[in-house]
């Protein structure tokens, strides 16, 4: 039963990868997937957002730096898990990946881990120089696009991206928990 479920899941993942890969026939989609992949390498875009926020928003500098640290922690955690799991990247017949990758292993997606961590840790901050606007919606949208771009590029299975996003969310959750006090709920 478990083997049949795993086989069906694998078939579904491959069908989704082929379907999303077909969207890359549009040069704009392929270009966007490449740009997102490049900017998300080693969590670069998210670390830059966090550091820029810390440099320009003195009232919340500590929160920007903590969020940036959580993004880095999510990325490092994903890299550590990859070294243990060692799942090879998808090899789709008749379709070369759109981008080169820093490593051979795909589970979990480090791009998805850092993207979800950034959306959660940095997205809720209000930036005074932007009229107090929250970054939540733009960062969440960019994070979602980053995750999908890894599927379009053909370098991750959907389960890699889901696991990476969950890891990023877990990292932020654990990193933002307040100290437990007797009789008080977690903060």
């Amino acid at each position: 039963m478990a083997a049949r479920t795993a086989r069906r899941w694998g078939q579904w993942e491959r069908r989704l990868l082929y379907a999303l890969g077909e969207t890359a026939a549009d040069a704009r989609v392929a270009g966007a997937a490449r740009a997102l992949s490049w900017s998300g390498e080693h969590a670069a875009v998210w670390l830059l957002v966090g550091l820029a926020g810390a440099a320009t928003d003195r009232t919340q500098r500590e929160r920007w730096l903590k969020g940036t640290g959580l993004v880095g922690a999510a990325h490092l955690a994903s890299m550590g898990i990859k070294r243990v799991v060692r799942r090879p990247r998808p090899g789709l017949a008749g379709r070369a990946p759109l981008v080169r990758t820093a490593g051979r292993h795909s589970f979990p997606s480090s791009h998805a881990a850092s993207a979800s961590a950034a959306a959660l840790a940095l997205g809720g901050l209000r930036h005074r120089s932007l009229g107090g606007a929250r970054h939540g919606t733009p960062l969440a949208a960019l994070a979602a696009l980053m995750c999908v771009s890894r599927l379009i590029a053909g370098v991750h299975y959907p389960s890699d991206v889901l696991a990476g996003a969950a890891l990023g969310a877990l990292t932020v959750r654990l990193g933002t928990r307040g100290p437990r006090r007797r009789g008080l709920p977690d903060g």
Side-chain angles (χ1 to χ4, degrees):
M1 183 70 136
R4 185 171 56 192
T5 301
R7 189 173 52 253
R8 284 185 181 162
W9 178 262
Q11 291 169 345
W12 174 82
E13 286 194 298
R14 286 198 173 279
R15 281 195 303 268
L16 181 59
L17 282 176
Y18 277 113
L20 288 171
E22 288 177 10
T23 67
D26 182 327
R28 295 169 297 184
V29 173
R34 284 185 187 105
L36 286 163
S37 288
W38 177 81
S39 67
E41 199 65 46
H42 303 295
V45 70
W46 312 116
L47 296 173
L48 287 173
V49 166
L51 293 174
T56 60
D57 185 2
R58 294 176 192 266
T59 63
Q60 295 186 92
R61 177 171 284 146
E62 286 183 37
R63 291 181 68 199
W64 283 102
L65 290 174
K66 181 174 184 174
T68 304
L70 291 170
V71 168
H75 180 75
L76 290 174
S78 71
M79 297 302 290
I81 293 169
K82 279 182 189 212
R83 290 183 181 273
V84 172
V85 174
R86 304 177 69 80
R87 181 184 195 183
R89 292 194 184 272
L92 303 175
R95 181 165 172 254
L98 291 179
V99 296
R100 292 179 53 158
T101 59
R104 298 185 325 242
H105 303 116
S106 68
F107 184 91
S109 167
S110 297
H111 279 70
S114 60
S116 70
L120 294 169
L122 303 174
L125 294 173
R126 292 181 184 271
H127 199 292
R128 195 178 63 188
S129 69
L130 298 175
R134 285 186 185 264
H135 289 83
T137 302
L139 280 183
L142 186 58
L145 289 171
M146 177 82 65
C147 291
V148 172
S149 78
R150 302 304 281 168
L151 301 174
I152 292 170
V155 294
H156 281 292
Y157 293 100
S159 55
D160 299 337
V161 171
L162 292 172
L167 177 62
L170 178 64
T171 302
V172 171
R173 174 68 176 134
L174 294 175
T176 57
R177 277 187 121 151
R180 294 192 104 173
R181 291 183 210 114
R182 186 169 275 212
L184 296 176
D186 288 348

